[in-house]
């Protein structure tokens, strides 16, 4: 399962519930409504099985959480630790998230790794969905919320288009920002990764055309079943290629970023550059992207975004999540 953002009842992404039939403990949050820190805590609370009552307050220097007789304020970490203590699942904070990377790892490396995780989650989700479509072959409906077979294919097409945009922006970010840093250190380091981007692009665009073709076919047409099976196969191949590509980058390329010895100021500048390239991902696709991350990963990603020089930009991104969850 990916993240727990949102209130969807039977979402394909299995976002955490806000079922009106269930009674969740009430938590009050006081804070400046335009503060990045306040938005951060509001996003964190979306993962917890609680009903949040947000009280805008300009008098609170730091967001304050009230639950029963408790009142907690201070650093973001202290608030998150309290939430994990009172509402253990899902955890927002963990120790090591895994791999060779740690708190000394450059921000851009974490950015790439977490984007890999989100894209892989969405690729696996789309792959399972395509398999289910092929198994039914248009002869049976799936979840009633998906509607008719043609309506479901349109939903599938929208989901794949979002994933495609995310993957293309990620590739551009690596080529224009990350790989450029490595190329300055040692020319030719990123050649193989660039070649893999070029290899997979026709496949990614071809899948989009496949989905369009399925959308105009009659579900009773003999070619419909074949088209669905072909779509499922091509998505599986894309997933396998992407997994191998991501693992190769994380094993062979990204560890070398530490040798580039970027200062904190340089890391912050690189982070801003990455967000500039990935504009769609961090605007209209931000919620979609965050759905692919587990809670600790999502919190880590928000930690990095909070370092951006343009705090209004960060507030806008976080507001996209909040506004769709209320």
């Amino acid at each position: 399962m990916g993240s727990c953002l949102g209130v969807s009842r039977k979402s394909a992404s299995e976002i955490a519930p806000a079922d009106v039939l269930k009674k969740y403990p009430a938590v009050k949050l006081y804070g400046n409504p335009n503060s990045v820190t306040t938005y951060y805590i509001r996003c964190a609370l979306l993962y917890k099985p609680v009903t949040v009552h947000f009280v805008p307050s300009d008098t609170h220097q730091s967001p304050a959480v009230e639950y029963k007789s408790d009142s907690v304020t201070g650093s973001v970490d202290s608030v998150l630790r309290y939430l994990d203590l009172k509402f253990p699942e899902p955890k927002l904070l963990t120790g090591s998230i895994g791999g060779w990377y740690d708190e000394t790892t450059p921000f851009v490396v974490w950015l790439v790794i977490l984007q890999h995780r989100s894209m892989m989650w969405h690729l696996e989700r789309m792959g399972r969905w395509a398999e289910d479509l092929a198994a039914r072959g248009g002869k049976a409906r799936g979840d009633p919320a998906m509607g008719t077979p043609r309506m479901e294919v349109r939903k599938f097409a929208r989901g794949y288009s979002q994933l495609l945009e995310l993957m293309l922006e990620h590739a551009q970010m690596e080529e224009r920002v990350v790989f450029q840093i490595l190329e300055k250190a040692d020319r030719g380091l990123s050649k193989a990764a660039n070649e893999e981007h070029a290899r997979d692009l026709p496949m990614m665009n071809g899948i989009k055309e496949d989905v369009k073709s399925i959308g105009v076919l009659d579900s009773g047409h003999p070619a419909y079943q074949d088209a669905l099976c072909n779509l499922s196969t091509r998505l599986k191949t894309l997933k396998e290629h992407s997994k191998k590509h991501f693992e190769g980058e994380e094993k062979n390329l990204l560890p070398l970023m530490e040798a580039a010895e970027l200062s904190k100021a340089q890391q912050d500048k690189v982070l801003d550059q990455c967000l500039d390239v990935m504009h769609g991902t961090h605007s209209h696709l931000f919620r979609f992207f965050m759905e692919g991350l587990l809670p600790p990963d999502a919190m880590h990603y928000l930690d990095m975004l909070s370092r951006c020089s343009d705090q209004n930009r960060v507030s806008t991104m976080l507001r996209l999540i909040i506004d769709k969850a209320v």
Side-chain angles (χ1 to χ4, degrees):
M1 171 171 142
S3 78
C4 300
L5 301 173
V7 297
S8 179
R9 181 171 57 86
K10 287 188 177 180
S11 166
S13 55
E14 297 178 1
I15 304 171
D19 191 333
V20 295
L21 299 179
K22 295 182 180 180
K23 297 295 183 181
Y24 295 119
V27 170
K28 281 188 177 181
L29 173 65
Y30 298 86
N32 185 322
N34 300 313
S35 163
V36 169
T37 305
T38 301
Y39 276 121
Y40 183 102
I41 298 299
R42 292 182 73 182
C43 288
L45 282 165
L46 291 177
Y47 291 97
K48 296 298 186 180
V50 299
T51 298
V52 180
H53 300 290
F54 175 59
V55 182
S57 172
D58 293 329
T59 62
H60 286 78
Q61 293 184 345
S62 300
V65 170
E66 285 187 0
Y67 173 60
K68 295 183 177 178
S69 60
D70 297 342
S71 181
V72 180
T73 189
S75 69
V76 167
D77 278 352
S78 65
V79 174
L80 296 188
R81 281 195 297 270
Y82 172 79
L83 293 175
D84 274 351
L85 177 65
K86 292 295 181 179
F87 312 101
E89 295 298 333
K91 289 286 187 185
L92 298 175
L93 298 174
T94 61
S96 172
I97 300 184
W100 50 265
Y101 24 84
D102 56 29
E103 64 275 3
T104 66
T105 303
F107 303 138
V108 66
V109 173
W110 273 116
L111 194 81
V112 172
I113 290 169
L114 294 177
Q115 288 174 5
H116 286 173
R117 292 180 183 180
S118 177
M119 289 184 290
M120 279 308 304
W121 184 84
H122 280 291
L123 277 167
E124 290 167 358
R125 179 178 67 93
M126 297 300 295
R128 290 193 302 270
W129 194 355
E131 286 179 2
D132 186 49
L133 283 168
R136 286 183 277 124
K139 298 175 182 177
R141 295 184 185 179
D143 187 329
M146 291 294 180
T148 66
R150 182 162 293 177
M151 292 166 67
E152 183 173 5
V153 170
R154 282 201 293 267
K155 289 180 172 66
F156 186 95
R158 182 169 64 249
Y160 182 75
S161 291
Q162 291 173 319
L163 175 57
L164 179 59
E165 183 176 349
L166 168 59
M167 295 181 73
L168 291 176
E169 285 196 339
H170 172 81
Q172 291 170 356
M173 180 270 288
E174 287 186 329
E175 293 166 6
R176 297 179 188 177
V177 182
V178 180
F179 293 169
Q180 291 300 315
I181 296 172
L182 294 173
E183 287 294 305
K184 287 181 180 179
D186 191 344
R187 191 168 185 175
L189 270 180
S190 307
K191 180 181 178 182
N194 278 316
E195 289 174 348
E196 288 181 4
H197 286 175
R199 176 203 65 192
D200 289 340
L201 179 59
M203 184 192 310
M204 293 160 63
N205 287 328
I207 291 173
K208 184 174 183 179
E209 294 304 313
D210 287 347
V211 178
K212 285 183 180 179
S213 299
I214 293 170
V216 298
L217 285 174
D218 189 318
S219 59
H221 194 282
Y224 190 79
Q225 176 69 54
D226 290 341
L228 287 175
C229 290
N230 181 60
L231 172 64
S232 178
T233 299
R234 295 188 73 177
L235 267 171
K236 183 178 180 180
T237 301
L238 176 60
K239 183 185 72 173
E240 291 171 349
H241 282 196
S242 298
K243 182 179 181 181
K244 183 178 179 181
H245 173 67
F246 295 161
E247 288 176 347
E249 286 185 356
E250 293 177 20
K251 179 181 179 181
N252 301 318
L253 279 183
L254 296 183
L256 299 175
M257 286 296 296
E258 291 195 41
E261 298 180 335
L262 299 177
S263 67
K264 293 294 185 183
Q266 288 173 320
Q267 290 189 49
D268 289 342
K269 181 179 179 180
V270 168
L271 185 61
D272 284 338
Q273 291 173 338
C274 290
L275 298 187
D276 286 340
V277 175
M278 300 189 70
H279 174 73
T281 298
H282 296 93
S283 56
H284 64 278
L285 289 180
F286 188 56
R287 179 181 172 82
F288 174 85
F289 167 75
M290 293 295 287
E291 286 173 357
L293 295 177
L294 292 168
D297 287 348
M299 292 297 100
H300 194 51
Y301 203 83
L302 296 185
D303 285 338
M304 286 188 295
L305 293 185
S306 66
R307 300 186 61 89
C308 293
S309 59
D310 188 347
Q311 291 293 285
N312 289 331
R313 181 184 199 174
V314 179
S315 294
T316 299
M317 284 188 280
L318 300 185
R319 188 160 57 242
L320 288 171
I321 295 176
I322 299 298
D323 288 348
K324 289 195 175 183
V326 297

